[in-house]
Every structure is written in structure tokens, then in C-alpha cells.
Amino acid sequence: MARQGDVVAFAIDASSGLVCSFNLSARSSTRRGEVSLQLIGCTTQRVSTSPFVGIDAQRGTLVVSGGTGGVSTFRYDTSTGRLSSRPTIRNQTLNEIGHPSVTLVSRNIAVLCTDTRSGFGITIANINQSSRSLDRSRFFPVENTVNFKYTISPANFPCDSSMYFQNNGRSYLYVANGPVTVQNPRRNGSPTVVNVPNGFEALTVDVNSDRS
């Protein structure tokens, strides 16, 4: 998130299960144009991070994918970047094996890479702040997944996603887990497989939303 010309960065400690926020500054006043990183604050209650974990934040909501221990969410002040000390949702499972990564569509919609009992896919979950719960709304399977190939615990898992927002209000979810797929995260339907070179295995994905 951006704040007064600086950027607030969030990071999770996989050992302690705590999340911290930092003020990231790249102003010309820093020596030789170096980036400065200053701690804003950390959470105080441990959440699940094992065996693989990812985080994402958007407009006051931060989500921790939680690995096999369940998904957690925190609130943060959008003007200061300071996190709530305790999670609003802590280690909630969605009746699947686990979630190694997460991307937010909005502050109330999370995209969770999901290890199911029959392969990998993407779970779209609604974040209900008032009831402090997650509700699964839809699921997109990934065909020909690379499964656990290329993994390095706790953060490097070959299942990644990125959102592309258009000026007309449409949004598209790109997913890499061997193949690359694209789908509308707000609607049901089958994902479209993106053509890639033969033998190419996509492990991560990002899109340039500035070109919409």
C-alpha cells in the first residue's frame, strides 16, 4: 500500500507466525538513493504458516494463506499501515488439505491456491468481517498441475495468481501451476488455458494492470 509517497510493506515470519508492517522509503534524501525500511509494528497472536504460506493485503485487509493450518485475516490502518494485534479470523479451514498462497481480488474476496484430495485448484472465498468467517463461493481446478514439483518451504510454492483489472470494471484472474489459466473470479465457469511453448511449466505469474 502507498502512504504519503512511501510504501507500506507486509511480511510474515514463518517461525513465529507473526506479521509485521514496514515503512519502505526510496526518497532521494536517503544515502546513494538506497531504500530505507522502518518497522511500523507487528501482530501479537501466532497464526498458521506451515508447511507453505503466502500473504496479500488490500484496502485494510491482510490475509495469511496458512498452509494446512487454516486461513487467517487481519485488519490494518490504511493511513498508517499499523496492523491489528490479533486476527479477525484465525486458522479457519475450508475442508481442504491446505492453501500455500493467496491473492486478494478485493478487501472481501480472496483467491486461495488449494491442495485438494484430487489435485490442485483455486478457491474463491468471501471474507465476512462481521461474522469473522470465510465462505467458499467457487472453485477452479487446475489441469495438468505440477503438484509439489519445485517446492522450497516455507514460501516457494509453484502455485501463484495475479489479478488484472480493466478500466471498464472487468477483472481477470491469472493462475500459474504448471499451465497458465485465466478466469473471471466473480463468475462460475471453466478457466481458459493460455497457450505457452511446449514443455513450459509456469511457476509464478504477474500482469501489468497499468496497460488496461
Side-chain angles (χ1 to χ4, degrees), residues 101-105 109-113 122-125 161 163 173 185:
S101 65
V102 60
T103 298
L104 285 173
V105 177
I109 302 176
V111 176
L112 296 159
C113 179
I122 296 296
T123 297
I124 310 297
S161 57
M163 288 298 304
L173 171 67

Side-chain angles (χ1 to χ4, degrees), residues 51-63:
F52 299 94
V53 67
I55 64 173
D56 197 16
Q58 190 176 142
R59 297 185 179 181
T61 297
L62 182 142
V63 178

Side-chain angles (χ1 to χ4, degrees), residues 128-144:
N128 192 322
Q129 301 289 353
S130 59
S131 65
R132 298 193 171 195
S133 64
L134 293 173
D135 301 310
R136 172 173 159 162
S137 63
R138 55 187 55 87
F139 178 80
F140 298 107
V142 176
E143 302 293 336
N144 300 316

